[in-house]
Amino acid sequence: MNPTIGWIRDLAASWGVPSALVPLVPFLLLLIVLYAVIGLAAYGARRRWPRADKTIAFWLFISPWLIGFAIFTIGPMISSIFVSLTSWDLITPPRFVGFANYTEAFQDPRVGQALKVTLLYGVISVPLQTALAFVVALLLNAELPGMRFFRTVWYLPSLVSGVAQMVLFLWVFNPRYGLANDVLAKVGIEGPGWFNDSAWALPTVILMSLWTVGGAMVIYLAGLKDVPANLYEAAAIDGAGTLRMFWHVTMPQMSPIILFNALTGIIGSLQIFTQGFIANGGPKDSLLFFVYYLYDNAFKNFRMGYASALAWILFVVILALTTVTLRGSSFAVYYETELATRKKRKA
C-alpha cells in the first residue's frame, strides 16, 4: 500500500470514521482536492473572461466523467505500460525486464493461436451480425399490426449476459441431449460434437453471436426511421423501383450507421472472453481467444507483466484494424455535412 494512503487511512480511523468508510477516505479526499482545483480555475477564468460562463459550466458538468476517466482508465493504462516492462507475480516487487515480455509474446506459439482464433471469429461473425441485423431491421421497419411485439422479441436476447448465454447454449449444443442435435436427429441428420469438437467449437460460437443481433438491429431501425420520406417520394416520381430506392436512397443514408455498427462489432469481437473462459479454451485451443489467454496469464499463472504486454499488443491490433476500416470506408460512407462543405468550396 502507498504510505500516503496508509497515513490518510490511519488518520481517518483516529478521527472516529467508521471502519467500513475508512478505505473510501483517500478517494474522497482526492475528489475534494480535484474539485477545489477545478473551482479555483473556474473562478479565475470567470474573472478574466466574464463571457465564458457557458464554457465553464460545460467543463464543470463533464468533470465527474473526466475525473473518472482519468483515474479509472488513463491511470491504469499508463500503469500497465510500466507493468508490461517488468516481471511481476503480484506477490514480489516487480522486476524491470525491458521489452522481454514483448519478445516472448512474438515467439509464443499460443499467442499466434489466440490471434488466429480471435481474428477468424471477428472476420466471420462481424459481417454476419451486421448483415443479419440490417436485414431484420428492414423487415421490422414495416408498419404492420403487432410489429412492436416482434421488435421486442428480437431485442430481448441481447439483454442476456455472456455467462447466462453461454450456459444456455452449452445445453442447446450438447451432443448427447441438446436441443440442436435432437432437431437434427428428427430429420435424419447426425449432429456434430459442437463445443466438444475442435472443428466445430468456433463455428458454434459464431452461431451463438447471431442470437444477440437485437442491439444492432435497434440502431439500424432508428436510422431507418430517420431517413427523410421526401427522398423516397422524389425517387418514386423519377420512376425508381424498390431496389433502386434501396440502393440509391436507403443505403447511402444508412452507410454511417452501418460503419458504426461494423466498428463496434470489430472492437467487441476482438475482446471476446466469456465463451473461451467457460469452455476453458475449447478442445485443442480451438476457443483460445486472445483476451482469455491474457486473463490466463494474469490471474492463473500470475504473470502480470506478460499479460500487460499482451494487452498492449491487442490494443495495437484493434487500433490498426479500426484505422484501416475508417480509411477504407471513406469512399462508401455518405455524409451530408461533407457534401455541403464540398459545395461551399466549389462556390
Side-chain angles (χ1 to χ4, degrees):
M1 182 189 300
N2 187 288
T4 304
I5 295 177
W7 177 79
I8 294 173
R9 288 185 177 183
D10 293 339
L11 184 63
S14 66
W15 286 354
V17 177
S19 58
L21 299 178
V22 168
L24 296 177
V25 171
F27 177 69
L28 294 176
L29 184 62
L30 176 63
L31 285 182
I32 292 172
V33 172
L34 287 173
Y35 272 107
V37 172
I38 292 173
L40 290 173
Y43 177 75
R46 187 175 181 183
R47 291 193 61 181
R48 188 169 182 179
W49 300 290
R51 297 182 180 180
D53 288 349
K54 291 184 179 180
T55 303
I56 294 171
F58 165 77
W59 287 108
L60 285 176
F61 276 114
I62 70 166
S63 62
W65 180 86
L66 286 176
I67 292 172
F69 182 73
I71 295 175
F72 298 112
T73 302
I74 297 296
M77 287 181 68
I78 295 174
S79 176
S80 71
I81 295 175
F82 169 75
V83 173
S84 70
L85 302 176
T86 65
S87 176
W88 187 31
D89 59 5
L90 299 177
I91 300 174
T92 59
R95 179 172 55 86
F96 183 78
V97 295
F99 292 98
N101 289 322
Y102 294 94
T103 303
E104 181 182 351
F106 287 113
Q107 297 174 353
D108 188 350
R110 298 197 76 197
V111 171
Q113 174 66 10
L115 278 173
K116 173 187 172 183
V117 171
T118 305
L119 291 174
L120 190 60
Y121 170 80
V123 167
I124 298 175
S125 67
V126 173
L128 287 177
Q129 291 179 39
T130 304
L132 179 60
F134 188 50
V135 170
V136 172
L138 289 172
L139 294 174
L140 296 180
N141 191 40
E143 296 298 336
L144 297 174
M147 193 56 68
R148 291 184 179 180
F149 169 77
F150 288 106
R151 292 170 185 168
T152 304
V153 169
W154 270 97
Y155 178 71
L156 281 177
S158 62
L159 300 177
V160 180
S161 64
V163 175
Q165 177 190 347
M166 187 65 183
V167 171
L168 171 64
F169 278 95
L170 282 174
W171 166 73
V172 171
F173 292 114
N174 188 286
R176 293 185 179 180
Y177 52 83
L179 178 64
N181 281 1
D182 283 347
V183 173
L184 291 174
K186 290 182 179 180
V187 295
I189 301 175
E190 183 180 355
W194 302 110
F195 289 109
N196 297 334
D197 188 344
S198 60
W200 278 93
L202 186 59
T204 304
V205 174
I206 293 172
L207 285 174
M208 283 177 51
S209 68
L210 300 180
W211 195 59
T212 56
V213 297
M217 178 271 296
V218 170
I219 298 175
Y220 283 131
L221 194 58
L224 289 170
K225 296 292 183 184
D226 199 42
V227 177
N230 60 347
L231 295 179
Y232 292 110
E233 294 172 359
I237 293 173
D238 289 340
T242 304
L243 290 178
R244 285 183 175 272
M245 287 186 187
F246 172 77
W247 187 252
H248 294 287
V249 178
T250 305
M251 286 300 293
Q253 293 290 319
M254 293 294 295
S255 57
I257 300 174
I258 295 173
L259 175 63
F260 170 79
N261 278 334
L263 282 176
T264 54
I266 290 171
I267 296 170
S269 67
L270 295 179
Q271 298 181 61
I272 182 173
F273 166 74
T274 306
Q275 290 81 346
F277 177 75
I278 299 296
N280 199 25
K284 299 180 181 179
D285 286 343
S286 56
L287 295 179
L288 185 67
F289 296 113
F290 198 91
V291 176
Y292 170 67
Y293 186 54
L294 187 157
Y295 167 87
D296 198 50
N297 278 281
F299 300 106
K300 287 187 179 180
N301 301 331
F302 296 104
R303 301 188 63 196
M304 189 59 68
Y306 188 57
S308 297
L310 293 178
W312 279 101
I313 291 173
L314 180 62
F315 173 79
V316 172
V317 171
I318 293 176
L319 181 64
L321 289 177
T322 303
T323 303
V324 169
T325 304
L326 284 172
R327 293 280 185 176
S329 65
S330 58
F331 71 93
V333 179
Y334 168 78
Y335 295 106
E336 291 185 4
T337 53
E338 288 185 1
L339 185 62
T341 304
R342 291 172 188 170
K343 288 181 177 179
K344 287 181 179 179
R345 288 176 180 175
K346 290 180 178 178

